[in-house]
Amino acid sequence: MKLFLFPLALAFGLLASSLASAAIVEHTFEVKNMTVELLCNRRVITTVNGSLPGPTIRVDEGDTLVVHVLNNSPHNITIHWHGIFQILSGWADGPEYVTQCAIRPKHSYTYRFTIKGQEGTLWWHAHSSVLRATVHGALLIRPRPGRKYAFLHPYEEVLILLGEWWNGDIVEIENQILTAGNELPPSNAYTINGLPGNLYNCSENQMFNLKVKRGKTYLLRIINTALNNQLFFKIANHKFTVVAIDAGYTNPYVTDVIVVAPGQTTDALFTADQPVGSYYMAASPYITTQVIAIDDTTTRGLVVYEGTSNSTAPLMPRMPAFNDTPTAHKFYTNITGLTTKSNPHWNPCPRSVDEHLFMTFGISLAPCPQNTTCLGPFGFRYSASMNNESFVLPSGRGMSMLEAFFNGATGVYTTDFPDKPLVEFDYTNPNISFDQSLLFAPKSTKVKKLKFNSTVEIVLQNTALIGIENHPMHIHGFNFYVLAQGFGNYNATRDEAKFNLVNPQMRNTIAVPVGGWAVIRFKAKNPGIWLVHCHIDAHLPWGLAMAFEIENGPTPSSTLPPPPADLPKC
């Protein structure tokens, strides 16, 4: 429901005109369990408004979004608005115990925030437990009235939400692995808009179909909602022109394959320029780890041209191998930011840096509790860490981290997250993978304190601990400039020469190359607590996370306001 705001008085002139173009967009989300049948399995899942994926939110840049969440499920729940800046509205960001406590069963909470300086494709998802597997949906931000997209206006826009499906109860599966300390088992299928496609058993009629007209251009809004896996996406015999990633415009990039990591979005134009017929769209995994079981299957949907005969056999694209790192790296590194006037939200990358951080991360181990059998290596339980600190969400401490920040409370977190690893080693050398002197990290809830409006540069360094892997790292509350990416150990003397400071891509989630590094930069201009974590779902409870505490600015307009009166309590 969209309620328009009108100016209070004509005397306000341009201000009134601006207010008239803004709107309040209001939704009600009922979180509840429902029974579905997929792959010949009947299963109870948690959904929003009884649909998978959940409802699509459409707003204009400048609008205020109001979402009433009614929790009629048996689980605690929070909702994260993935990629939204939350300027001075950090209370609405959503990660459990970070910016709020959970919405308990039979309780409700209303999220309110204004969307400023963004347009494109984002999404929303649960940020409690592994509920985001089925509690998620698209959040589409159109240009404000009077503005156009920074690309050719498409004939139609099409949502493509890529996901994963487990035949078992995903919450029960998570509880079991948290007890046993092992990894999340591979999914049973991948999905396109909640449907697995006809390559799986018992799924002949469970496939997404897209009808197109020859000669027309379509905008695909592609979102990877999967818990664990990056995905390749192709349409047989067609090419794409990527025009945006993570709700940030890019220079047009032509490719026949798109790669999206969990949490990422890609906007791509494709023209129905092939002979009338039917063509499969397909998504298959990009997986780099060699130490866990994988789901190396393919989901597919169907692109059907108007006038196609029912007897026409669809063409299938040739998908990359599941470990095709060169193809993935080419896609991730060839995208650049759009700096022309057609992009109203571009700001040049800051050249001077106030804070230099070096963050190593990867899988680690933790001791097995007494009288428990753990299924990780050497009989330990899996853990994860950043700079040898394994992050613990502050459950049971009476308040969220953001409430502690606002109230100046102690005992919820500390501000001594290290600027670099305390122990230096050959980070990406496979020979150190099971070096037990490096594999154990203390559990803590530590943040890095940043001054308001400071410029922060971070070297994100993968490690080979336990196994070499490509990690999708997400920073809440900010987009960041991606200056460079590479393989091996980062070397400033060699690698700073590769920095793109002219038109770097901007993201909120970056897939740090397997056995490699990435350098990012951002402006800390939003006070509050902002989570940084791997968007592989099992890695957050394991501890692959940290947070930034950004101080209030010098004026009331740069100071975090008080929490909403109905903020859930711990």
Side-chain angles (χ1 to χ4, degrees):
M1 179 171 63
K2 194 160 187 173
L3 308 174
F4 284 90
L5 300 175
F6 292 95
L8 296 177
L10 294 177
F12 282 102
L14 291 176
L15 174 61
S17 176
S18 173
L19 287 172
S21 67
I24 295 176
V25 180
E26 191 164 1
H27 287 261
T28 297
F29 280 10
E30 183 187 8
V31 183
K32 61 182 180 180
N33 281 2
M34 63 178 290
T35 301
V36 297
E37 186 169 326
L38 206 64
L39 305 182
C40 284
N41 282 274
R42 289 179 63 82
R43 193 189 120 194
V44 175
I45 63 173
T46 304
T47 64
V48 169
N49 296 355
S51 66
L52 176 65
T56 297
I57 293 175
R58 292 177 172 87
V59 295
D60 294 341
E61 192 263 326
D63 286 351
T64 295
L65 182 60
V66 178
V67 182
H68 309 285
V69 177
L70 314 177
N71 186 9
N72 289 323
S73 82
H75 309 293
N76 287 344
I77 194 79
T78 66
I79 303 294
H80 170 49
W81 315 93
H82 187 108
I84 294 292
F85 294 157
Q86 300 291 2
I87 304 298
L88 297 181
S89 57
W91 300 106
D93 191 46
E96 187 178 24
Y97 299 117
V98 179
T99 61
Q100 68 169 97
C101 297
I103 307 168
R104 298 187 302 277
K106 304 302 180 184
H107 287 71
S108 63
Y109 176 58
T110 297
Y111 292 90
R112 299 175 179 87
F113 53 92
T114 299
I115 298 166
K116 304 174 185 176
Q118 296 179 274
E119 53 193 64
T121 303
L122 295 174
W123 63 301
W124 57 266
H125 61 80
H127 216 294
S128 302
S129 181
V130 287
L131 290 171
R132 91 158 196 257
T134 54
V135 178
H136 61 252
L139 200 172
L140 310 182
I141 310 169
R142 300 166 297 215
R144 64 176 57 217
R147 288 182 181 166
K148 298 179 179 179
Y149 292 121
F151 50 81
L152 175 71
H153 191 80
Y155 177 70
E156 284 183 1
E157 299 182 9
V158 181
L159 271 173
I160 303 290
L161 282 83
L162 306 176
E164 287 178 287
W165 174 263
W166 280 262
N167 286 333
D169 185 314
I170 188 64
V171 175
E172 288 186 7
I173 292 172
E174 182 197 34
N175 291 337
Q176 291 167 6
I177 67 169
L178 290 177
T179 299
N182 59 330
E183 73 277 0
L184 193 69
S187 55
N188 295 102
Y190 299 107
T191 59
I192 299 175
N193 292 340
L195 300 173
N198 61 1
L199 281 178
Y200 298 97
N201 291 332
C202 198
S203 61
E204 183 64 33
N205 299 316
Q206 297 175 336
M207 182 165 61
F208 172 67
N209 280 260
L210 172 61
K211 295 181 179 180
V212 299
K213 293 184 178 182
R214 192 172 189 279
K216 298 297 185 182
T217 297
Y218 297 79
L219 175 66
L220 302 182
R221 296 182 179 270
I222 303 167
I223 306 170
N224 187 345
T225 72
L227 292 190
N228 280 345
N229 285 321
Q230 302 182 57
L231 293 163
F232 295 111
F233 180 81
K234 298 185 76 171
I235 298 177
N237 286 18
H238 290 76
K239 290 189 174 181
F240 309 102
T241 301
V242 175
V243 292
I245 54 173
D246 290 2
Y249 289 119
T250 66
N251 287 305
Y253 174 59
V254 178
T255 176
D256 69 342
V257 60
I258 287 170
V259 195
V260 277
Q264 291 182 338
T265 71
T266 299
D267 289 354
L269 299 170
F270 98 97
T271 300
D273 56 4
Q274 296 300 300
V276 169
S278 55
Y279 303 82
Y280 281 117
M281 64 172 68
S284 62
Y286 168 51
I287 302 175
T288 55
T289 181
Q290 299 177 4
V291 297
I292 62 173
I294 64 172
D295 176 6
D296 185 17
T297 62
T298 299
T299 178
R300 64 185 184 185
L302 198 59
V303 177
V304 182
Y305 279 62
E306 188 178 73
T308 298
S309 167
N310 291 336
S311 62
T312 303
L315 296 177
M316 179 67 185
R318 183 176 181 179
M319 302 304 291
F322 75 87
N323 57 354
D324 190 348
T325 290
T327 293
H329 191 65
K330 178 182 178 182
F331 178 84
Y332 284 138
T333 57
N334 273 267
I335 295 174
T336 53
L338 182 66
T339 64
T340 65
K341 292 182 179 179
S342 59
N343 181 0
H345 308 301
W346 174 260
N347 291 302
C349 179
R351 298 302 181 100
S352 61
V353 176
D354 303 303
E355 292 272 5
H356 288 271
L357 306 176
F358 190 100
M359 293 188 185
T360 59
F361 48 88
I363 307 305
S364 55
L365 297 176
C368 189
Q370 279 190 325
N371 302 318
T372 301
T373 299
C374 292
L375 301 179
F378 310 117
F380 294 106
R381 59 191 305 123
Y382 278 110
S383 183
S385 62
M386 298 180 67
N387 282 0
N388 202 47
E389 294 288 343
S390 187
F391 185 81
V392 178
L393 288 169
S395 60
R397 301 184 201 177
M399 65 180 70
S400 71
M401 296 173 71
L402 190 59
E403 289 177 281
F405 167 81
F406 181 82
N407 294 314
T410 60
V412 177
Y413 65 86
T414 60
T415 58
D416 54 344
F417 182 84
D419 291 353
K420 60 182 180 180
L422 300 181
V423 177
E424 295 184 8
F425 55 97
D426 189 0
Y427 305 118
T428 56
N429 184 344
N431 292 328
I432 58 95
S433 293
F434 291 97
D435 183 341
Q436 292 196 40
S437 68
L438 300 172
L439 285 179
F440 294 87
K443 297 291 183 179
S444 63
T445 309
K446 294 185 177 182
V447 308
K448 167 65 181 176
K449 193 170 186 175
L450 299 173
K451 291 188 177 299
F452 178 80
N453 214 36
S454 59
T455 297
V456 184
E457 182 177 292
I458 309 174
V459 176
L460 297 168
Q461 176 68 65
N462 256 315
T463 67
L465 297 175
I466 302 296
I468 300 175
E469 192 172 353
N470 182 307
H471 286 93
M473 300 299 295
H474 173 46
I475 299 182
H476 287 228
F478 297 92
N479 277 0
F480 47 79
Y481 301 90
V482 181
L483 304 187
Q485 304 172 64
F487 296 99
N489 297 334
Y490 175 76
N491 182 303
T493 303
R494 175 194 66 212
D495 294 325
E496 280 187 3
K498 303 172 185 176
F499 284 10
N500 177 2
L501 298 172
V502 177
N503 61 351
Q505 60 178 273
M506 297 192 72
R507 284 199 175 275
N508 61 59
T509 306
I510 182 171
V512 182
V514 55
W517 52 268
V519 181
I520 64 174
R521 190 178 290 182
F522 71 96
K523 202 82 168 174
K525 57 184 179 181
N526 196 8
I529 300 290
W530 303 103
L531 188 64
V532 181
H533 66 103
C534 180
H535 220 265
I536 293 175
D537 211 71
H539 291 177
L540 179 55
W542 282 358
L544 210 165
M546 55 85 64
F548 290 119
E549 178 195 277
I550 299 179
E551 297 175 343
N552 284 310
T555 65
S557 63
S558 59
T559 299
L560 181 71
D566 59 342
L567 188 73
K569 304 301 181 184
C570 290

